[in-house]
Amino acid sequence: MSEEVRQYHEEAAIGKTYDLRIAKRLLKYLRPYWKLAAAALLLTILTNGLISTQPYFTKVAVDDFIEPKNLDGIWLFAFAFFGVFLFRFIFSYIQEILLNKVGQQVMYDLRSEIFAKLQRQEVAYYDKNPVGRVITRLTSDVDALNELFTSGVIDVLGDLVIIIAIITWMFALDWKLAIVSLITVPLLFAATNWFRKRARIGFDKVRTRNARLNAFLQEYISGAQTVQLMNAESKAQNRFREINDDYRNANIETIYYYSIFYPLVDFIGAVGISVVIFAFGYEHLSGLSAAGTAVSIGILAAFIQYSLQLFQPIRDLSDKFNILQAAIVAAHRIFIILDMDVTITSPKEPKRRGKAIGNIEFQNVWFAYKDNDWVIKDLSFKIEVGESIALVGHTGSGKTTVTNLLMRFYDVQKGKILLDGVDVRDWDLHVLRSNFAVVLQ
């Protein structure tokens, strides 16, 4: 199936595309809802800012209440702690609603625009592009963009905010211990960079094979009768098994990268915490505590929590990058459809409008669906008003093609088709087709 192979390679080529211009173009769809997006961003910043205060509350609880066994003000402290996390819950709840509302609105607008474009697209487009492939644009690719708007860009900014907030808190509490805590961060960035590159390759394979699978399913399910007439069920099953196997292997490869990355991040995090505990223990065992320069137990507890919190957003940034990549590739596919020229349109100044008399004439018409594989060669005939004619011929001889050309589902390569003495290409397209009634077999 040379056409299937062509589509597969085209999908693969698209998968390698990363164009910031596409990202800028996507902002056009976000612009009508910028107020909701801005509110969601503000709530994300506030929520992540509140998250970064949790370890400091632990520090205060240990140093000011637990260690000295002090009960004065503990109820006020507990109330403040509860209030912070109550606001965190409220902000997070509203943020999720706003983000998903923005995402759904953008998806609605995109689907509407794509569907409107597909309705205007000439029939020849569907001869070259399987319906399953087109449906993938309206479903999977649009869903990828929804992920971008609901858990992509804004969450990336939120992760950056919490990383900055955590590092600031750590240096404010103890700058020496903060430096010790950040020793393992370069290892984490190296692991994240490895995962980002490998996972992107895996995701590209998954997307291209998914489009290939959808195209195959559409073709063989819609043509099930033909497959059965040709006794080709076994051949179709074997071919589907190959494509399905490729799709499964691509998903397994992606899972493999996840299975390495997440345990590796946890291990690096554990190493980081071990270094913090060792530095704290060394400070005490070396007698620094007697000099009054050692960090407190509360600060140690806070640093352990900050270390755990720091690794989470750094790890999430890698996932968000893959969401961004998937969205860019999906947007590229969608924009290919939206940017395609509709070649069969009404002329700017139609020569004829209104009801036709009904005189039809083909003048030396040549037409081929593909290259120079002519279906109609130098065809000429005339039909006067009131005449009834029959076109007779074997399958593929061009009978249906004559009807398609008359109503400009396709345009001829050579010659002319006249309706009431006017080339059908000079008629208003809507008016032209409204003059015909077609009953298919």
Side-chain angles (χ1 to χ4, degrees):
M1 294 185 180
S2 59
E3 181 66 17
E4 179 186 319
V5 172
R6 182 192 68 77
Q7 292 158 3
Y8 171 73
H9 286 300
E10 182 179 327
E11 293 287 343
I14 291 174
K16 297 173 184 174
T17 301
Y18 181 80
D19 195 342
L20 288 177
R21 288 175 298 177
I22 293 177
K24 292 179 181 178
R25 185 173 174 181
L26 285 173
L27 293 177
K28 181 188 75 172
Y29 296 93
L30 189 61
R31 194 172 296 127
Y33 315 106
W34 72 268
K35 292 182 180 179
L36 291 177
L41 175 59
L42 177 61
L43 289 172
T44 300
I45 293 173
L46 291 174
T47 300
N48 288 347
L50 292 175
I51 290 173
S52 68
T53 63
Q54 178 181 350
Y56 183 75
F57 273 97
T58 301
K59 181 261 181 193
V60 173
V62 172
D63 289 344
D64 294 355
F65 296 101
I66 298 175
E67 277 285 308
K69 298 181 180 179
N70 176 28
L71 296 179
D72 293 339
I74 194 170
W75 288 108
L76 182 62
F77 172 81
F79 182 77
F81 182 83
F82 172 78
V84 166
F85 281 84
L86 176 63
F87 277 110
R88 174 188 166 187
F89 166 76
I90 295 172
F91 291 160
S92 180
Y93 171 75
I94 299 173
Q95 177 227 27
E96 285 294 326
I97 292 177
L98 292 179
L99 278 180
N100 281 280
K101 186 174 182 179
V102 170
Q104 291 299 322
Q105 290 286 0
V106 171
M107 287 173 64
Y108 174 84
D109 294 343
L110 264 174
R111 280 195 295 260
S112 298
E113 187 175 350
I114 296 169
F115 184 75
K117 181 60 181 284
L118 291 172
Q119 291 293 290
R120 299 193 307 270
Q121 201 68 45
E122 61 271 10
V123 178
Y125 171 79
Y126 299 99
D127 295 337
K128 300 174 183 177
N129 297 274
V131 174
R133 189 164 172 243
V134 176
I135 290 175
T136 301
R137 301 293 170 269
L138 278 162
T139 53
S140 299
D141 288 337
V142 173
D143 285 341
L145 293 182
N146 179 51
E147 278 195 84
L148 172 68
F149 291 115
T150 56
S151 60
V153 176
I154 291 180
D155 277 359
V156 166
L157 296 175
D159 286 337
L160 292 175
V161 167
I162 197 169
I163 289 172
I164 295 171
I166 288 173
I167 293 176
T168 302
W169 274 110
M170 291 171 77
F171 275 93
L173 290 174
D174 190 283
W175 67 270
K176 292 180 181 179
L177 204 56
I179 293 175
V180 172
S181 300
L182 298 176
I183 287 177
T184 57
V185 170
L187 292 176
L188 180 61
F189 275 110
T192 300
N193 190 53
W194 172 86
F195 172 75
R196 176 181 59 81
K197 292 179 179 179
R198 297 294 179 177
R200 179 186 175 187
I201 296 172
F203 287 139
D204 286 343
K205 288 181 179 179
V206 170
R207 286 190 294 270
T208 54
R209 283 157 177 76
N210 181 42
R212 191 182 185 188
L213 181 67
N214 287 340
F216 180 89
L217 288 172
Q218 183 276 326
E219 180 182 352
Y220 278 82
I221 291 176
S222 63
Q225 183 179 7
T226 303
V227 172
Q228 293 175 9
L229 285 172
M230 302 296 293
N231 289 322
E233 293 93 339
S234 297
K235 182 180 179 181
Q237 288 174 5
N238 291 334
R239 184 63 184 145
F240 177 76
R241 190 175 294 112
E242 292 176 9
I243 296 174
N244 197 25
D245 190 53
D246 282 345
Y247 184 52
R248 179 197 61 190
N249 291 336
N251 278 287
I252 290 175
E253 181 179 343
T254 304
I255 294 171
Y256 166 76
Y257 297 132
Y258 274 99
S259 66
I260 293 179
F261 177 66
Y262 284 116
L264 181 60
V265 169
D266 291 338
F267 175 75
I268 295 173
V271 171
I273 293 174
S274 300
V275 172
V276 171
I277 295 174
F278 174 80
F280 174 82
Y282 176 80
E283 201 168 357
H284 274 274
L285 292 176
S286 62
L288 292 177
S289 58
T293 58
V295 296
S296 65
I297 298 295
I299 290 179
L300 173 64
F303 265 84
I304 291 174
Q305 288 185 310
Y306 275 130
S307 296
L308 291 172
Q309 283 190 353
L310 181 63
F311 279 75
Q312 184 62 42
I314 294 176
R315 184 174 66 178
D316 287 346
L317 284 175
S318 182
D319 273 344
K320 300 302 187 298
F321 181 85
N322 288 322
I323 290 174
L324 176 62
Q325 290 290 313
I328 291 296
V329 174
H332 188 93
R333 293 191 184 108
I334 289 171
F335 291 149
I336 285 177
I337 292 179
L338 295 179
D339 293 341
M340 280 190 307
D341 293 329
V342 180
T343 57
I344 297 180
T345 58
S346 297
K348 292 183 179 179
E349 297 182 2
K351 294 182 180 179
R352 280 296 303 270
R353 297 178 183 271
K355 187 172 179 61
I357 299 172
N359 295 311
I360 299 171
E361 183 177 0
F362 275 56
Q363 292 183 351
N364 308 107
V365 170
W366 291 68
F367 176 76
Y369 288 101
K370 183 168 61 176
D371 300 328
N372 292 322
D373 187 11
W374 302 107
V375 177
I376 293 177
K377 300 179 181 179
D378 198 22
L379 176 65
S380 297
F381 64 85
K382 183 181 289 187
I383 306 174
E384 301 290 346
V385 175
E387 286 187 297
S388 296
I389 68 164
L391 300 177
V392 181
H394 58 77
T395 301
S397 61
K399 304 183 298 297
T400 304
T401 301
V402 169
T403 304
N404 289 336
L405 294 175
L406 185 58
M407 290 185 292
R408 283 199 73 199
F409 292 141
Y410 302 88
D411 276 337
V412 300
Q413 280 90 4
K414 300 178 184 179
K416 292 182 180 181
I417 301 175
L418 306 178
L419 177 60
D420 294 342
V422 178
D423 194 317
V424 292
R425 289 169 291 196
D426 293 328
W427 278 75
D428 178 87
L429 193 59
H430 176 75
V431 172
L432 172 70
R433 291 173 179 170
S434 65
N435 277 290
F436 292 89
V438 179
V439 181
L440 300 175
Q441 60 184 359

